[in-house]
Amino acid sequence: MKKIYLYYLSSLMLFPILAQSQVKSKLWYDGNARVLYNRDALEGTLKETDTVSTRSNGGGFTILDLGFHFTPVDDIEIFSEVRLKNDFGGMWGNKSFVELRRLSAKGVINKKISFSVGDIYLKQTKFTLYNYEQELSEYEPSVFKFYRDFVNYENYYQSNYWRLQGVQTNFSYNMYNFIEQLDFDGFAARVRGQEWMGKPELLMIGGSAVIKSSNNLNLGSHYVNTFEILSSSNSLVTYYNPVLNTQLSYSGTLKDKPYKVLLEGGFSKRGWDGDSLAPEIKGNFMEASIHSKSKKGEINLGFRYVDTDFRSTGAQTRRINYNNSTTTYPYYSNNYTQRKVSLIDMMSDPNIYNQNLSTSLMNYNPMYSSISPYGNATPNRIGLTADIDNFNLTDYLSVKVQAQYFSEIIGQGTTNKRSFNKSALHSLLSLDKLLSLKNSFDLEGSINLETVKRDGEDFEKIDFNSILYSGSISYELIKNLKIIAGAKVFYAEGNEFIAERDMYDQINDYSNNTYDSKETILIGGIQHHFTDDIYFTMQYNQFNVLDKTNTYDEFSMGRLIFMFNMNL
Amino acid sequence: MKNLKFLLLALPFFFTSCEKDKIEGPSLNNLYGELTILESLNVVGDGADFSVGENIYFTASFSKQVDWQVKIKGLNSGSVKIISGKSDAINQSNSTWDGNSTLLPFFIAEDCEVELTFEMHDDTIYNQLNIQGEKEYNDESTVLITDFENGFNPNFTNFFQSTCLKKIETGDAGQSDRFLVQEGTCDWDWLIGYIDYPANHWLQQGTLNANPDNVYFNMMIKGDSTLSPTNEANSLFKLEFYEDENQDGYYDQNTEDRLEVEFDVNWNGWKMYSIKYSDLILAWNSGGNAIREPNKILKFRTLLLANPASGFAKADVDYIVWSEGSPILNQ
């Protein structure tokens, strides 16, 4: 009897809590918190020869990005992310910043049509709207991931989406015959706002329609048009760039192995209305690929053709802007030499990255990216690709392999065409599994090799090679606390022509550049994971950039860095 | 389905023939390649008589697009014609020559040397040609005022300071044989001398086009600034044009326009000075309708001026002519 009374009493006391947990909360929070402190110091001969730059400089910040999710009704969610930032060195708010990082709303109409407005993330196909990864980031050892996460987060890079302001809607129809499902998606975004006495407003509209059939055959059509609004400025010229991409895919099995075949093609047009000097160019592309996945790993084989005149604002915009100044030591040496964007900055500096779509082909550095500087949408390419992903040779060794062979379709400045080769290999060796150790012990290594060649007369020959060696060791001392060490060594040698383009992207000159450089990055320290999303790292980095054609401007720097990251 | 799979696998091979032979962008050969002369310089129309409208042109071809220049120099007159272009071939479309001059004096019937040179390359090719008849600039679109071949027209009234002179000289003329010398030192006045050229005493009679944008005044002037003590331009040349608006045969400064222009003679050798009638400046005390009417010119005056403190001044004159549509050297 006593037990029954206790039982009823406990239920009565706990009832409100139980009741509360059954009611959905209208307001909830998420976000990210980060603390970063770094101290950079010149090293090597620069310490003696550079009497103008500071020997060392430190900086850092604390950031709290607080996201508020509010659902006034079940079908609508309003999201707002506010950043509170305090730079080190400021007390009582004199170096504090508050800014609105994101504001958007999304919802579902009649349980059928979903929509998003405000700051939205958009992605379509690799030829219409796609945010390609930055160069030399593929096959990067995991010890460098904290830098990559920091750079991507600050620049709103999420899984190849572009962050734009606009509205998006999508809906589906289920059917019961040969056609199983119809998916529709449409969006409109403002890429560039009105400028006082400047360029017209630039908008992007797009849509997708996908037919899924009952025999595993899917047909999709994707369209994007980037255009300027004539009435939004005093200019008489407006830009336009429609791109259409049609995809046909088929999924099947061959000898019990599933595979997927994708065939896609399309065209683009780009011009300037109202400008009699501007050319209108039309280009097309085609890609065919076969993908198969098994327990052992995944394999991809592909063929790609992209016309010289193919242009796509949404797919050919690059992440790295080589015209931006570097944050760390933008100028150095007594000659006040401007420090060019190098591997250090690509790895760790969010300020050299670009967040806006570009209507013209952005500059790139062939040293770091000569094969596909604009991703799959790089114009003037025809060739084959093959890659093997997550291939488990044994239960402690997995590898990834990639090979690409491309040729130009039209020679630049000559009838001789460039040939491009890329080979990449990544391996992960889990020594703890091999040696039956209790604590995690991983070795990672990767090689990325790119070559560009062109035959012909002496004045047009190209012979360029670049190779990036990366490696890392990660040993778990105690639970979740690891000692980490990593290295990247990059070599670039040879010559390559950089095309100089006018305002219409037409080539009007070339510069023949000679490269003979070596860059080294070494990192070592500790890393502790509270959870997968909450960790801190403290380490020492050593950077060296040597251009052997100009050894006087060698740059060496050491960095002590502490970073705490928490995803809420 | 088997057919579809076959099609998907075979499709890429259809695109292997998509490689094209044209090039993107400017040719690297043109920018960086070595220059090879494929066909040497030839003269087509050698011995031309320019006075009857014959022409001469040149031919040559090269291994790349290059900036080239053909220079023709008269061995007797010293006249120079320069034809230039950028291409990988010289032919009739880019090198036709009608006998005109780039640097005065005019060509005469003479032998000429021809030189072909290239920018950024040391190659030079030589040739020769002969002119049977020199180009005639006088035609229905020109009105010749004087060329001084028959001496100085006594109807051209003039005044020169006592220490200055004008005279006709033979040889080294801008055109043909004779020209007018004007020179001297005057240390008390700016004026060296002036000459009036009344319209009714011009060598050719005719009414000029009424449209001032279509009428050009041309005069050969020979400068010699090295003669001044400070080796600087010491000769100021002034042109004045008097319009007889009421066509009564007289000029009234209170009711009729006077237009003028002045410039330094700061060059050596012969030079053709050309000015469009509509570019002339209305004189400060001009009393007319302020409308430029070349068809109502009564006379024009040339004045040679110099700073009294600066010493010797000189500006010789030859071949004074009106042209319609363009300056005389572009006819």
Side-chain angles (χ1 to χ4, degrees):
Chain A
M1 197 63 160
K2 209 175 177 181
K3 279 187 184 171
I4 292 172
Y5 284 141
L6 277 172
Y7 172 74
Y8 279 122
L9 184 63
S10 305
S11 298
L12 202 64
M13 286 172 65
L14 291 172
F15 179 75
I17 298 168
L18 290 170
Q20 181 65 26
S21 64
Q22 300 301 315
V23 173
K24 193 171 176 184
S25 173
K26 287 202 168 188
L27 180 66
W28 74 94
Y29 310 94
D30 64 6
N32 175 272
R34 181 175 279 118
V35 176
L36 185 143
Y37 174 77
N38 68 281
R39 181 137 210 106
D40 299 335
L42 294 178
E43 286 191 353
T45 53
L46 211 55
K47 259 197 327 191
E48 279 85 39
T49 59
D50 188 346
T51 57
V52 176
S53 310
T54 54
R55 287 285 159 270
S56 72
N57 52 65
F61 53 80
T62 308
I63 280 176
L64 175 63
D65 292 332
L66 200 54
F68 301 90
H69 297 261
F70 175 55
T71 51
V73 294
D74 284 345
D75 294 335
I76 292 182
E77 176 187 315
I78 298 170
F79 171 63
S80 155
E81 187 173 77
V82 175
R83 168 167 282 194
L84 307 172
K85 184 180 180 187
N86 189 40
D87 282 340
F88 281 5
M91 296 284 283
W92 300 287
N94 69 338
K95 279 195 178 181
S96 302
F97 306 93
V98 179
E99 61 181 17
L100 182 65
R101 210 161 175 264
R102 268 188 72 183
L103 188 61
S104 63
K106 64 179 182 182
V108 181
I109 301 171
N110 283 343
K111 293 187 171 62
K112 287 185 174 57
I113 301 171
S114 71
F115 69 91
S116 310
V117 296
D119 298 327
I120 54 179
Y121 285 87
L122 296 171
K123 179 174 78 171
Q124 230 184 42
T125 72
K126 288 185 175 180
F127 295 93
T128 54
L129 182 63
Y130 198 84
N131 187 352
Y132 287 97
E133 303 282 340
Q134 53 269 47
E135 36 268 57
L136 300 178
S137 61
E138 215 172 1
Y139 295 173
E140 186 181 56
S142 55
V143 298
F144 297 97
K145 188 171 177 297
F146 77 100
Y147 269 133
R148 185 73 55 207
D149 288 346
F150 169 55
V151 164
N152 288 350
Y153 181 83
E154 290 299 307
N155 286 285
Y156 304 96
Y157 297 154
Q158 279 188 23
S159 300
N160 307 118
Y161 283 81
W162 279 108
R163 181 175 176 266
L164 294 164
Q165 283 186 329
V167 57
Q168 181 194 25
T169 179
N170 56 64
F171 53 93
S172 301
Y173 283 120
N174 286 328
M175 304 174 93
Y176 301 100
N177 295 321
F178 175 70
I179 297 176
E180 280 187 345
Q181 188 172 309
L182 296 173
D183 295 329
F184 296 95
D185 181 278
F187 69 87
R190 191 175 78 161
V191 178
R192 182 182 67 229
Q194 222 165 344
E195 294 175 350
W196 170 248
M197 303 295 286
K199 293 181 181 178
E201 209 170 332
L202 183 68
L203 301 183
M204 174 182 272
I205 59 170
S208 298
V210 179
I211 301 171
K212 293 179 182 171
S213 70
S214 58
N215 59 355
N216 297 326
L217 198 64
N218 293 345
L219 176 66
S221 187
H222 310 269
Y223 174 80
V224 158
N225 190 0
T226 315
F227 59 95
E228 289 177 331
I229 307 286
L230 181 63
S231 56
S232 62
S233 88
N234 293 329
S235 171
L236 299 172
V237 176
T238 52
Y239 170 90
Y240 59 92
N241 176 214
V243 185
L244 178 68
N245 182 357
T246 303
Q247 293 179 324
L248 178 67
S249 70
Y250 174 77
S251 303
T253 54
L254 185 67
K255 293 183 181 174
D256 293 329
K257 287 196 176 50
Y259 69 88
K260 183 177 177 184
V261 175
L262 174 65
L263 189 63
E264 59 181 323
F267 67 88
S268 73
K269 194 162 69 170
R270 200 272 298 269
W272 286 263
D273 257 334
D275 187 344
S276 57
L277 298 175
E280 180 183 84
I281 57 172
K282 296 176 185 174
N284 48 61
F285 65 92
M286 180 259 172
E287 184 165 21
S289 63
I290 298 175
H291 172 82
S292 179
K293 190 174 180 178
S294 67
K295 286 180 196 170
K296 275 277 191 182
E298 297 173 42
I299 183 166
N300 259 307
L301 300 172
F303 166 82
R304 188 187 315 141
Y305 167 90
V306 183
D307 198 43
T308 308
D309 290 333
F310 175 71
R311 295 289 181 271
S312 174
T313 301
Q316 290 173 338
T317 298
R318 294 170 38 78
R319 284 190 178 180
I320 294 179
N321 187 344
Y322 285 95
N323 296 330
N324 285 356
S325 284
T326 57
T327 305
T328 307
Y329 287 104
Y331 296 90
Y332 69 105
S333 85
N334 288 2
N335 292 330
Y336 206 59
T337 307
Q338 185 177 19
R339 195 170 69 78
K340 294 178 193 166
V341 171
S342 61
L343 207 59
I344 313 165
D345 314 291
M346 287 158 55
M347 186 182 79
S348 63
D349 187 358
N351 293 329
I352 65 162
Y353 284 82
N354 161 58
Q355 298 175 22
N356 302 311
L357 295 180
S358 171
T359 54
S360 58
L361 292 175
M362 294 170 66
N363 292 337
Y364 67 93
N365 190 336
M367 240 189 4
Y368 305 115
S369 172
S370 50
I371 312 295
S372 302
Y374 307 99
N376 288 22
T378 303
N380 198 14
R381 295 288 186 273
I382 181 170
L384 302 166
T385 63
D387 53 84
I388 298 171
D389 258 338
N390 301 322
F391 186 65
N392 297 316
L393 286 173
T394 64
D395 59 353
Y396 51 82
L397 179 64
S398 68
V399 296
K400 298 177 192 176
V401 180
Q402 189 185 86
Q404 295 181 4
Y405 172 77
F406 284 100
S407 167
E408 284 182 320
I409 299 164
I410 292 178
Q412 274 187 357
T414 169
T415 51
N416 293 302
K417 300 174 188 63
R418 286 184 176 90
S419 63
F420 306 92
N421 278 298
K422 177 177 175 176
S423 308
L425 168 72
H426 174 269
S427 63
L428 170 64
L429 176 65
S430 300
L431 280 176
D432 53 305
K433 289 178 183 165
L434 176 63
L435 303 173
S436 301
L437 302 173
K438 244 173 75 174
N439 294 347
S440 161
F441 192 178
D442 291 330
L443 291 179
E444 273 183 89
S446 67
I447 299 174
N448 187 83
L449 170 67
E450 294 187 4
T451 65
V452 183
K453 287 200 189 315
R454 182 168 71 191
D455 291 330
E457 304 293 331
D458 287 343
F459 59 82
E460 59 191 7
K461 274 185 183 165
I462 293 175
D463 186 2
F464 175 78
N465 304 289
S466 73
I467 186 162
L468 173 66
Y469 300 101
S470 306
S472 73
I473 298 173
S474 164
Y475 176 66
E476 192 178 32
L477 267 180
I478 58 175
K479 189 171 168 50
N480 294 330
L481 178 69
K482 293 180 181 176
I483 295 177
I484 57 169
K488 287 191 181 192
V489 183
F490 176 78
Y491 295 93
E493 199 176 29
N495 77 301
E496 168 64 302
F497 287 81
I498 296 178
E500 293 171 15
R501 297 177 184 267
D502 61 16
M503 57 187 284
Y504 304 119
D505 273 349
Q506 294 178 108
I507 298 176
N508 55 11
D509 203 355
Y510 308 94
S511 68
N512 187 359
N513 293 356
T514 304
Y515 303 98
D516 189 3
S517 72
K518 178 183 173 187
E519 297 182 41
T520 311
I521 297 176
L522 302 171
I523 69 171
I526 58 170
Q527 195 165 42
H528 178 70
H529 281 259
F530 297 97
T531 68
D532 283 343
D533 292 325
I534 304 177
Y535 63 86
F536 78 82
T537 182
M538 189 159 84
Q539 48 185 266
Y540 180 77
N541 304 161
Q542 211 276 326
F543 308 108
N544 184 275
V545 180
L546 172 62
D547 179 357
K548 292 177 192 171
T549 65
N550 184 13
T551 53
Y552 184 78
D553 284 338
E554 182 178 4
F555 179 77
S556 289
M557 187 183 84
R559 170 180 288 169
L560 189 65
I561 182 169
F562 170 83
M563 183 188 287
F564 171 79
N565 181 74
M566 178 168 70
N567 285 337
L568 301 169
Chain B
M1 193 50 62
K2 278 188 185 171
N3 289 337
L4 176 65
K5 291 174 190 173
F6 171 77
L7 182 66
L8 290 171
L9 286 170
L11 202 55
F13 294 98
F14 290 116
F15 286 86
T16 55
S17 62
C18 280
E19 294 190 0
K20 303 170 187 171
D21 284 333
K22 56 179 184 172
I23 67 173
E24 184 190 14
S27 165
L28 282 166
N29 183 44
N30 290 339
L31 294 171
Y32 301 112
E34 288 296 316
L35 174 66
T36 304
I37 309 297
L38 301 176
E39 182 199 332
S40 192
L41 183 68
N42 279 326
V43 180
V44 179
D46 190 9
D49 185 350
F50 294 124
S51 64
V52 297
E54 290 179 358
N55 292 324
I56 289 175
Y57 69 91
F58 303 89
T59 61
S61 68
F62 327 113
S63 61
K64 57 179 263 190
Q65 281 216 355
V66 66
D67 288 295
W68 50 263
Q69 181 185 86
V70 172
K71 181 178 167 186
I72 307 155
K73 184 171 180 181
L75 295 176
N76 290 338
S77 66
S79 182
V80 173
K81 171 65 182 176
I82 294 175
I83 304 169
S84 59
K86 180 170 182 168
S87 59
D88 59 0
I90 300 178
N91 48 42
Q92 189 173 12
S93 66
N94 59 17
S95 69
T96 297
W97 177 40
D98 64 357
N100 61 0
S101 304
T102 305
L103 299 176
L104 296 180
F106 289 148
F107 284 98
I108 58 176
E110 60 184 325
D111 289 327
C112 302
E113 68 176 20
V114 183
E115 183 184 270
L116 171 60
T117 55
F118 306 91
E119 197 173 299
M120 307 292 287
H121 297 276
D122 294 332
D123 307 70
T124 305
I125 302 174
Y126 296 97
N127 210 323
Q128 288 162 346
L129 61 84
N130 174 262
I131 300 173
Q132 276 294 312
E134 63 209 54
K135 178 180 168 74
E136 280 293 331
Y137 288 89
N138 291 340
D139 58 21
E140 60 277 1
S141 66
T142 63
V143 173
L144 181 62
I145 295 164
T146 182
D147 58 7
F148 301 109
E149 295 309 306
N150 295 326
F152 188 81
N153 189 331
N155 294 304
F156 293 161
T157 54
N158 62 91
F159 169 78
F160 276 77
Q161 303 284 7
S162 57
T163 53
C164 304
L165 64 87
K166 70 159 201 329
K167 61 178 178 178
I168 296 291
E169 269 199 8
T170 304
D172 291 329
Q175 180 265 344
S176 201
D177 296 317
R178 308 176 86 186
F179 65 99
L180 177 71
V181 170
Q182 300 180 130
E183 63 187 27
T185 305
C186 179
D187 58 8
W188 67 87
D189 196 348
W190 274 79
L191 180 67
I192 300 295
Y194 72 79
I195 301 174
D196 285 343
Y197 297 82
N200 55 347
H201 292 295
W202 294 347
L203 206 56
Q204 283 181 334
Q205 292 296 302
T207 305
L208 296 176
N209 193 309
N211 181 358
D213 287 322
N214 217 26
V215 175
Y216 290 80
F217 176 81
N218 309 271
M219 172 186 265
M220 280 192 189
I221 302 174
K222 182 178 176 184
D224 196 353
S225 60
T226 57
L227 292 180
S228 70
T230 56
N231 218 28
E232 291 170 340
N234 187 36
S235 304
L236 183 63
F237 211 91
K238 187 174 182 182
L239 298 168
E240 294 177 349
F241 298 83
Y242 299 79
E243 290 181 357
D244 180 13
E245 291 174 24
N246 61 8
Q247 300 284 281
D248 64 353
Y250 295 98
Y251 171 75
D252 183 348
Q253 75 168 35
N254 295 316
T255 59
E256 288 168 328
D257 282 335
R258 190 181 96 229
L259 301 144
E260 60 191 31
V261 66
E262 65 181 48
F263 49 90
D264 288 321
V265 182
N266 55 5
W267 59 84
N268 289 322
W270 287 105
K271 180 180 169 182
M272 180 67 81
Y273 176 80
S274 299
I275 184 167
K276 191 162 51 175
Y277 197 82
S278 57
D279 289 339
L280 294 170
I281 302 163
L282 215 54
W284 67 273
N285 57 353
S286 179
N289 60 8
I291 299 173
R292 287 163 179 75
E293 297 169 293
N295 54 324
K296 294 182 180 175
I297 288 180
L298 182 68
K299 70 173 182 184
F300 75 91
R301 175 179 286 181
T302 65
L303 301 92
L304 178 59
L305 307 160
N307 189 328
S310 61
F312 187 82
K314 178 181 176 70
D316 302 338
V317 166
D318 198 359
Y319 202 71
I320 309 173
V321 63
W322 294 99
S323 63
E324 190 173 320
S326 66
I328 189 68
L329 287 184
N330 294 353
Q331 294 281 313

